[in-house]
Structures are given as structure tokens and as C-alpha cells.
Amino acid sequence: MVRVVMGMAGMFTFLRRFSSRLPTKIRLFTSKEASMIIFRIALILSATLFGMAIYQRTINMWAMKNIGDTFLRKEIGSRQILLGTFFREKSEQNFDGKFVIVHFLGDTRMEHPLYCHTMMANGKTMTTRAHVQRIHRGKRAANDICSWAGHLAECEVEVHTHRELRIGTTADPLESLLIHPEIPKHIRPKADLVVCMAPMYIYIEWEILLLGLETWLSMGAQKIIVPVQSASTTAYSILKKYQEKGYVEIREWPKWPTLSDVNPNGLVLSRGIEESHVNCLLHTKPWADLVVFTDIDDFYLPADPSNVIIGGTPALFKEIFDEHPQAGSLLLNIEIQFNFNFLQNTKFKQNCQVWRMKTRVVVNASRVDSVNMHETGIHRFGYVQVRVPCRKGHFYHFRHSHGTVPSPTEIDMTTLQSILNRSWKKRLFSSLNTIAASQLPPSSIESFEDFDKCMGAINAEHWTMKVSRCLTPHVCFSRLKRDVPCVAARADYAFHFSAISSSYIMTPKVCCL
Ligand SMILES: *[C@@H]1O[C@H](CO)[C@@H](O)[C@H](O)[C@H]1NC(C)=O
Ligand SMILES: *[C@@H]1O[C@H](CO)[C@@H](O)[C@H](O)[C@H]1NC(C)=O
């Protein structure tokens, strides 16, 4: 308010001086006076606005950052990055014909026309324009810096299309990129429950990885899909072992070519989780019934964990889906945060609260087209997203160490302990026997401490106004002071520049891990 008053006072002085001059002679302002007037008007306006905003508490750091970001502009035309191409399942169609789904990244504020070109039997090219849907609005849709978001495009292709097609931004088949869509695997019966993990980025905590894999497998997941950007060779070799036995599927998840967000953590995690989930969903559709989207350190357990039964989770989810026949997806609350030794040390859980809690998502794969980390998006044929209270079970989260649990209820984890003990013993003598015989570098939680520090630093940085708002605390992840041998997914990006539409279209050619 002080500034408003000062601004007002300034205005009155100004008006008094101005009017006292007027009667004597009317003259043009000198440029110095004109700029002074503009400056003062601007000052008064901004002082009034800021004064009112601060008085009403309608402005905060975020709003001011958004105002700042608005002044940053880029003029680079449209640059879609095609992340994946899939065939639409016949069972999900209510039209005849063959359709292709293209998952791509693009600037939310632009239109992204996309065309599919396929060869017909008579040698002519069939060109169709894709129906494009934006999956979400980007991290912050308001400005240039953060406006990248996933899109789904669907177009009809020639019915015999199988190995390849061309996709471009114009109707001219010459202006296009050769794409190899994913060949769907139709495994019958479909897997009851598949887990899609968030991408691994500098991932080293192999003990947590093992706990995560073993718990999900014991709970009845048939396959765990792990997108890997980078991981320690130890973590990766464990994943490989599980992949050999068919429990895990590793998918290369390369970094995107730098968008305006220069922070690689942001590109893989903060911005990348949603897209990796969509990619995983489209990949699993042909062979999975229910898909759950989660971190390696979240589990779904019955409301009373002492009632946990081996392989019981798919049945729990099925029960909820049966209670809600219109549900395409379920939102389930994330309940507690465990400390690291959660099996032994966790005696309490937070009471169930439905209000404003973070959620995990379970979908019926054939009823949903997009997942947005904590919720779903595009549903098919009138199916809807249903938020279910935690009567039957909860998601338990145990990554972050923490001291106290608000409004605690007692829980008993011994049943889960002995289930895990038994399956783990079996695993050590079967699929993991080679790893069991070798010495692994200790997995430590030093990076968790680092994580906490990082969160603090990010929060502090936000107050300096120097950091882009695309950067969220999600960028905080494992980071080590020591050197750890690791593997990373590498990709060359193939691209085509169309002179007609002055736009780029690109797609990663994933190389290797
Ligand atoms: C998933 O959806 C399909 C198609 O609507 C349906 O046949 C199937 O029973 C559903 N699965 C569950 C577990 O509800
Ligand atoms: C599981 O194994 C650990 C380590 O061997 C042991 O301390 C714990 O008591 C076991 N728990 C159960 C319930 O068997």
C-alpha cells in the first residue's frame, strides 16, 4: 500500500504542475517531458496494480515468474518430435480401416498438422490428415519457455500397412519422414496387470530397485516396464536378469533434443514422465488388461497390510473396476511415506484422507489413450476417470525419509515381510544366482540426503527469480559424489525440414544402452 500512496501523491503533484502551466501557453511536450509522463503513468499503474495485488494477496512468486517468462520469446517454427508410432487396436475401433497413433511433442500454442502417407496396392500414395489431440497443456502453458506438451495424432493408413509409413507436416509425400511403427505383440490371454515405471535417470539404488521389482511381482504384476535413460551398470545388470526371465521389459528412453529447457533432469523427469507413461500405455495396449503407473518405490497394498496375499493386487483392482463399470481409469491415493527400512520400521500409517492427496493411476488399457502422471486424460467411448477412496487399499510410498506421520494408525508389515523373504530366497537361488555370487558395490542412500538438499536448493532458487518455471523439484533425483560406472540410452534424431510449412519434424533413432 505504501507504493500506491506514493504513486498517488506523485500523480497529484504531477497534475498540479501540469495544470498550472496550461493556461499560460499551450505547447508541445519536449521528448524529455513526454517520456517522463509515460514513465510516471507506467509507474502509477504498476504501483497501483502491485499495491492492490499484494494487498489482496493475489500475486505470488509464481505469478511474477510467469510475468517474467512472458517477455522471453522464441521464433523457431513448429518442431514436432515423434516419440512413438503405434497401430490402433481393432477392438478399440468403431470404424473399419487401419489407424495409426502418433505420439509427439509439440509447442502447445501452435497448430500441428500431421499427414500420414502410405502406399496403396495400385502404387499410388494414400495421404490422410491426422486428427490431433493435445494431451496436456505443458508445464506452464502461458509462455514460450514451458509450452512443450505431448500430443496424440491418429490417422487412417492403407489397410496393409505394417512395417513402415511416412509422416509429414504437409500433404506432400515428399515432405515427410520414414517411420517404423511398433509391431504389436498380441499375447493371449492378456496380462492381468502390467506396471509402467517412471523413466530411470542416473539410477543407482539397486536395493530399492530389487525391493520394488520383488514387491510388485509378489503382488501379482506380470510385467514391469522400465524406461531407462541412464542407470548404474549394477542396476542395469539386475534389470537385464529380470528381463531374461520375462518379468521386466527395458525400454530405451533417450533424452530429447534440448528444447528451451536446458536442464537435462527437467527433460527426462519433470517433463518426461507423462510422455513415457503415454508411450508405455500405447505399447502395452495390445497385450495388457490393467496397467498401473507408478514409481519404483510405490506399492499398492490392502487397507490392512497384514491381509496381503501373494498375487492379490490384480484381483483388488478388478473388484474396484467391477464396482464402477463406467470406469476407464482409477485414481488411487498415495498414502504414506515410509523410511528406508520400511518393512521393519514402519508401524504407523497416515489416516486415509481423500481430500487433496496425490494419486496414482490404474487404467484399463483399452479404455484410455493418455496418462498424465497423477491422472488420466483422453478416455475412449465414454469411459471416465473415477477417484476411489482408500477402503480396499492404498498406495504406499517409501522413498523419502521423514520423521513423523500425521494422524497415525497402526499397521503390521510382517506378512509382507515373510512373503518377500520367501520369494527373495527363491530368486537368489534361481534367476539371480549369478548376481548373488558376485560382489555388488553398496547401494547407499547418500543420494536421498542429496535429494532433500536439492529440494531445498530448488525452493531457494525459486525466490531468486533466476530459474525457469519449467524446472520443478522433480529435477531432484539421485546424484552421487563418487564415480559410478553406468549405461545410458543414446539417440540420433532423424529430421526433415519442410520448406513449404517451414517446420521440422524429427524422431529419435534409438541406438543402444
Ligand atoms: C477392460 O476393458 C475391456 C473392454 O471394455 C473389458 O472387456 C475388460 O473386462 C476390462 N477389464 C477389467 C478388469 O475391467
Ligand atoms: C525376513 O528376513 C530378515 C533378514 O533375514 C529377518 O530379519 C526377518 O525377521 C524376516 N522376517 C520374517 C517375517 O520372516
Side-chain angles (χ1 to χ4, degrees), residues 81 83-84 103-106 135-136 138-140 146-151 196-201 225-229 251-257 259 261 263-281 293-295 360 370-374 470-477 493:
I81 305 170
L83 299 175
H103 174 212
F104 70 90
L105 270 184
I135 300 172
H136 55 92
K139 210 71 193 176
R140 320 281 164 213
C146 320
S147 52
W148 290 86
H151 294 68
C196 286
M197 294 286 177
M200 284 191 166
Y201 179 61
I225 297 181
V226 188
V228 177
Q229 198 286 310
R251 283 176 63 82
E252 285 90 5
W253 188 250
K255 271 195 239 175
W256 300 336
L259 307 177
D261 195 340
N263 184 318
N265 298 13
L267 291 180
V268 181
L269 296 168
S270 175
R271 322 293 317 284
I273 294 178
E274 284 111 334
E275 308 321 328
S276 87
H277 281 349
V278 171
N279 185 281
C280 188
L281 170 68
F293 297 86
T294 175
D295 282 344
R360 288 280 169 229
S370 77
V371 176
N372 212 343
M373 191 127 74
H374 295 298
C470 306
L471 203 140
T472 71
H474 280 111
V475 301
C476 294
F477 210 61
Y493 281 83

Side-chain angles (χ1 to χ4, degrees), residues 91 190 192 289-290 314 317-318 321-322 327 364-367 383:
S91 58
K190 284 185 180 181
D192 289 332
D289 192 23
L290 301 184
F317 288 152
K318 252 190 203 129
F321 268 105
D322 288 345
N364 181 322
S366 63
R367 297 178 178 180
Y383 288 107

Side-chain angles (χ1 to χ4, degrees), residues 319-345:
E319 231 175 84
I320 306 176
F321 268 105
D322 288 345
E323 282 175 17
H324 301 275
Q326 83 290 13
S329 57
L330 305 176
L331 292 191
L332 301 151
N333 295 320
I334 303 178
E335 271 298 308
I336 333 172
Q337 303 196 334
F338 285 111
N339 63 22
F340 185 59
N341 269 334
F342 86 109
L343 284 174
Q344 276 130 47
N345 297 347

Side-chain angles (χ1 to χ4, degrees), residues 344 413-415 417-419 421 425:
Q344 276 130 47
M413 287 284 176
T414 45
T415 325
Q417 260 189 56
S418 44
I419 290 178
N421 271 6
K425 229 164 256 163

Side-chain angles (χ1 to χ4, degrees), residues 89-142:
E89 286 300 291
K90 274 269 172 285
S91 58
E92 294 177 22
Q93 285 179 211
N94 52 5
F95 277 105
D96 280 341
K98 191 157 190 174
F99 293 82
V100 156
I101 312 165
V102 186
H103 174 212
F104 70 90
L105 270 184
D107 187 321
T108 49
R109 299 156 313 157
M110 286 182 195
E111 250 200 275
H112 295 290
L114 220 56
Y115 294 84
C116 297
H117 311 283
T118 38
M119 195 67 82
M120 293 187 290
N122 60 8
K124 291 208 175 106
T125 306
M126 170 176 171
T127 296
T128 52
R129 185 169 178 170
H131 170 68
V132 178
Q133 279 179 290
R134 196 180 61 195
I135 300 172
H136 55 92
R137 301 190 59 204
K139 210 71 193 176
R140 320 281 164 213

Side-chain angles (χ1 to χ4, degrees), residues 18 25 33 129 169 203 247 283 358 408 438 480-481 487:
F18 185 62
K25 58 179 177 208
E33 275 171 316
R129 185 169 178 170
T169 50
Y203 196 88
Y247 300 122
H283 169 68
K358 274 206 166 183
S438 60
L480 271 194
K481 285 175 208 86
V487 292

Side-chain angles (χ1 to χ4, degrees), residues 324-469:
H324 301 275
Q326 83 290 13
S329 57
L330 305 176
L331 292 191
L332 301 151
N333 295 320
I334 303 178
E335 271 298 308
I336 333 172
Q337 303 196 334
F338 285 111
N339 63 22
F340 185 59
N341 269 334
F342 86 109
L343 284 174
Q344 276 130 47
N345 297 347
T346 305
K347 306 280 184 276
F348 301 102
K349 75 179 178 75
Q350 194 179 324
N351 257 328
C352 178
Q353 290 162 337
V354 180
W355 174 238
R356 276 163 68 88
M357 291 210 74
K358 274 206 166 183
T359 48
R360 288 280 169 229
V361 176
V362 184
V363 305
N364 181 322
S366 63
R367 297 178 178 180
V368 170
D369 269 358
S370 77
V371 176
N372 212 343
M373 191 127 74
H374 295 298
E375 49 193 329
T376 38
I378 305 164
H379 285 74
R380 299 190 64 70
F381 305 136
Y383 288 107
V384 294
Q385 172 182 278
V386 175
R387 181 184 277 269
V388 288
C390 28
R391 269 181 296 112
K392 287 190 200 300
H394 318 281
F395 264 93
Y396 290 77
H397 181 72
F398 77 99
R399 182 197 291 146
H400 316 298
S401 57
H402 80 118
T404 51
V405 176
S407 61
T409 317
E410 266 189 74
I411 52 166
D412 174 11
M413 287 284 176
T414 45
T415 325
L416 182 62
Q417 260 189 56
S418 44
I419 290 178
L420 289 180
N421 271 6
R422 254 179 286 133
S423 62
W424 180 235
K425 229 164 256 163
K426 240 197 298 174
R427 191 86 68 212
L428 279 181
F429 289 105
S430 57
S431 44
L432 287 184
N433 54 1
T434 47
I435 285 192
S438 60
Q439 195 174 4
L440 298 178
S443 154
S444 79
I445 54 167
E446 95 191 51
S447 61
F448 291 132
E449 281 159 32
D450 198 56
F451 183 90
D452 289 344
K453 255 189 245 151
C454 173
M455 294 276 278
I458 293 268
N459 281 332
E461 211 171 32
H462 275 145
W463 292 97
T464 67
M465 312 258 288
K466 276 188 196 145
V467 72
S468 159
R469 284 223 32 215

